[in-house]
Amino acid sequence: MQAVKVGVLGLGTVGGGTVNVLRRNIIDITRRAGRDIEITRAAVRSLDRSTICSTEGIVLTTDAMEVVNDPEIQIVVELIGGTELAHDLVLKAIENGKHVVTANKALIALHGNELFAKAQENGVTIAFEAAVAGGIPIIKAMREGLAANSIEWLAGIINGTGNFILTEMRDKGRDFVDVLAEAQALGYAEADPEFDVEGIDAAHKLTIMASIAFGIPLQFDKAFTEGISKISQEDVKYAGELGYRIKHLGITKKTEQGVELRVHPTLIPHRRLIANVDGVMNAVLVQGDAVGPTLYYGAGAGSDATASAVVADIIDIVRALTTDPENRVPHLAFQPDTLADTPILPMSEVVTSYYLRIHTQDKPGVLADITRILGEQGISIEAILQKQPEHHNGVVPVIILTQEIVEKNMDAAIKQIEALSSVNESVMRVRMESLG
Ligand code: HSE
């Protein structure tokens, strides 16, 4: 039988890794797939640029459409990133009857609904394991391994750069800006590091996981995102003193009112396994009604680690080449005509508990004013901690942990606290999750 011919768009970190991993493990991969697999063509930005893989036996071009239009190619692997050219290339590949593998989380989160419908029409598959948490097979786990469950919620550390920054701040007392520069130099960060630190990259990945968990269309525009740039050394330290760690989590939860879809810094008890996922590593905790909590941990970025997921997708497609398109695993885990229109909840309707850090004047009655405001909004205090005045300037940090309350009540309370003449600056709010 002829080898399955694969065309790769982009031979950068992930594309080069894909060639390397496929070639290094070709004997076992062929035994697993049941067919020979050959990368015959690749599109590169410049023919003069060196790549991290050998390009022997691969016809190179700078015109990605040439690969997509090559009648011999059965699987197109899109690894160029971005959402414009990548969208056009993937769409054309589908129209040409080719299967697609992609690591492009933004493409799937923003255009997945359209692309999956097109793929369905054309009897082809778009595989995107590498788009979420790099080498961790979280999509396969949720779509197949947990298919018996009603998934209740999931929470993930799904951006390695952000996790590296928070870990270095906690362990080494380093400053945010300094650690970000190192993450960029190490090649972890997105081309625009705002995608990492402001939670956009994590929201792309969370959007995809929420759809697979709950059988809803992709709705990136409804995801709430808050970054980590406002987290200070002070908050990391106080959280530690109270038995918590601050992690940048993507959380999605099914409630009676709708689906929560949110990325924000989160205090979690330090004894939870996921609280101990450090550096650039990723982890996703999934709560199924039958299985209970399951945790998936591994490298969320990097050349070979991401290639591991890309090559696994190629193998899956090769195995499914001869199957009836109607009987393949659905893109979003649920049959497309059964996707639900469950609403995504606005952040103001989300219920959670909070860490508040308030800088106040060291004067009698200030604490009473703050607790009165919280009480009026129905917010119950779980713990309260007043530190020594800072630098003899009469400013006292007050740390309050609250019980669960709907976000709109907390918004109202914070507004009133900030209006007190004895409160010096904005109230720092970090949401808390027990993940129990
Ligand atoms: N910038 C991303 C991260 C790369 O830091 O996790 C993997 O998506």
Side-chain angles (χ1 to χ4, degrees):
M1 207 185 274
Q2 266 207 334
V4 176
K5 294 195 168 48
V6 176
V8 179
L9 311 180
L11 284 186
T13 307
V14 182
T18 298
V19 174
N20 286 335
V21 171
L22 190 74
R23 288 186 167 168
R24 187 165 78 228
N25 297 333
I26 192 66
I27 295 174
D28 282 346
I29 287 170
T30 309
R31 289 169 64 210
R32 290 185 175 119
R35 292 275 297 270
D36 286 330
I37 301 171
E38 215 183 313
I39 296 175
T40 56
R41 297 197 72 150
V44 289
R45 213 179 292 167
S46 152
L47 295 174
D48 303 329
R49 261 162 84 133
S50 62
T51 54
I52 59 165
C53 62
S54 157
T55 54
E56 205 189 317
I58 303 176
V59 178
L60 299 182
T61 174
T62 52
D63 179 3
M65 270 303 170
E66 265 183 28
V67 179
V68 166
N69 287 327
D70 182 337
E72 297 243 288
I73 300 287
Q74 286 174 274
I75 303 174
V76 170
V77 181
E78 183 279 305
L79 301 170
I80 58 170
T83 51
E84 285 173 28
L85 179 59
H87 170 266
D88 295 349
L89 291 165
V90 167
L91 202 56
K92 188 71 184 156
I94 294 167
E95 283 164 4
N96 287 346
K98 298 178 194 314
H99 299 274
V100 173
V101 175
T102 180
N104 192 333
K105 52 248 166 165
L107 178 72
I108 298 298
L110 270 65
H111 300 294
N113 297 324
E114 174 209 358
L115 294 174
F116 295 153
K118 281 274 176 213
Q120 186 86 3
E121 262 170 54
N122 287 273
V124 296
T125 297
I126 304 173
F128 50 98
E129 183 64 74
V132 181
I136 306 174
I138 185 64
I139 296 196
K140 193 174 252 312
M142 286 205 295
R143 218 161 50 173
E144 299 177 48
L146 299 180
N149 287 261
S150 169
I151 293 178
E152 294 166 355
W153 54 263
L154 67 85
I157 295 172
I158 43 180
N159 182 269
T161 302
N163 202 40
F164 177 64
I165 293 171
L166 290 176
T167 305
E168 291 285 299
M169 282 175 77
R170 188 196 72 218
D171 289 352
K172 303 190 185 146
R174 293 177 63 192
D175 278 337
F176 182 92
V177 178
D178 176 34
V179 192
L180 173 60
E182 189 183 338
Q184 285 175 287
L186 290 169
Y188 302 143
E190 294 296 300
D192 177 354
E194 277 216 357
F195 273 53
D196 296 299
V197 297
E198 295 307 333
I200 301 159
D201 175 75
H204 287 146
K205 297 164 180 167
L206 184 71
T207 298
I208 298 171
M209 289 197 289
S211 290
I212 290 173
F214 306 126
I216 53 173
L218 296 148
Q219 293 163 82
F220 171 71
D221 56 331
K222 299 206 179 116
F224 171 84
T225 52
E226 186 179 291
I228 54 172
S229 50
K230 288 203 200 99
I231 298 289
S232 66
Q233 260 319 320
E234 200 187 356
D235 298 310
V236 172
K237 190 178 79 181
Y238 296 150
E241 285 175 21
L242 290 158
Y244 291 86
R245 296 220 166 131
I246 301 179
K247 291 289 178 190
H248 202 196
L249 289 190
I251 299 169
T252 185
K253 197 182 285 186
K254 198 169 180 184
T255 72
E256 276 178 18
Q257 290 72 38
V259 169
E260 296 178 6
L261 190 61
R262 49 192 170 104
V263 175
H264 51 71
T266 315
L267 258 77
I268 47 179
H270 70 89
R271 61 182 183 282
R272 295 268 177 263
L273 275 178
I274 197 167
N276 295 282
V277 171
D278 286 336
V280 291
M281 299 307 274
N282 281 197
V284 184
L285 178 58
V286 185
Q287 175 78 23
D289 71 328
V291 71
T294 55
L295 181 66
Y296 307 86
Y297 168 85
S303 181
D304 277 19
T306 311
S308 163
V310 171
V311 175
D313 273 349
I314 296 174
I315 297 169
D316 258 1
I317 288 177
V318 170
R319 287 175 176 146
L321 280 177
T322 51
T323 59
D324 175 355
E326 297 301 316
N327 292 331
R328 294 183 187 141
V329 180
H331 290 108
L332 292 177
F334 292 72
Q335 297 300 333
D337 56 356
T338 68
L339 291 186
D341 58 1
T342 319
I344 305 289
L345 290 176
M347 200 57 203
S348 56
E349 296 300 332
V350 165
V351 174
T352 184
S353 45
Y354 294 84
Y355 158 102
L356 303 177
R357 192 236 313 136
I358 308 165
H359 280 177
T360 74
Q361 293 296 319
D362 190 11
K363 286 198 309 211
V366 177
L367 215 48
D369 284 341
I370 294 172
T371 54
R372 175 185 48 78
I373 291 170
L374 292 174
E376 281 168 5
Q377 291 297 337
I379 301 168
S380 191
I381 295 172
E382 178 82 29
I384 193 160
L385 181 68
Q386 182 177 326
K387 308 299 281 188
Q388 294 288 322
E390 288 181 336
H391 318 298
H392 309 290
N393 59 0
V395 174
V396 183
V398 174
I399 316 302
I400 296 175
L401 304 187
T402 76
Q403 292 186 356
E404 286 191 337
I405 186 74
V406 66
E407 177 116 347
K408 62 185 171 199
N409 286 36
M410 182 52 81
D411 290 342
I414 288 177
K415 211 167 155 197
Q416 288 173 42
I417 293 171
E418 286 176 344
L420 292 172
S421 59
S422 46
V423 169
N424 283 42
E425 51 188 67
S426 305
V427 172
M428 179 65 190
R429 158 230 316 247
V430 187
R431 298 168 188 87
M432 294 174 56
E433 293 289 335
S434 68
L435 304 181

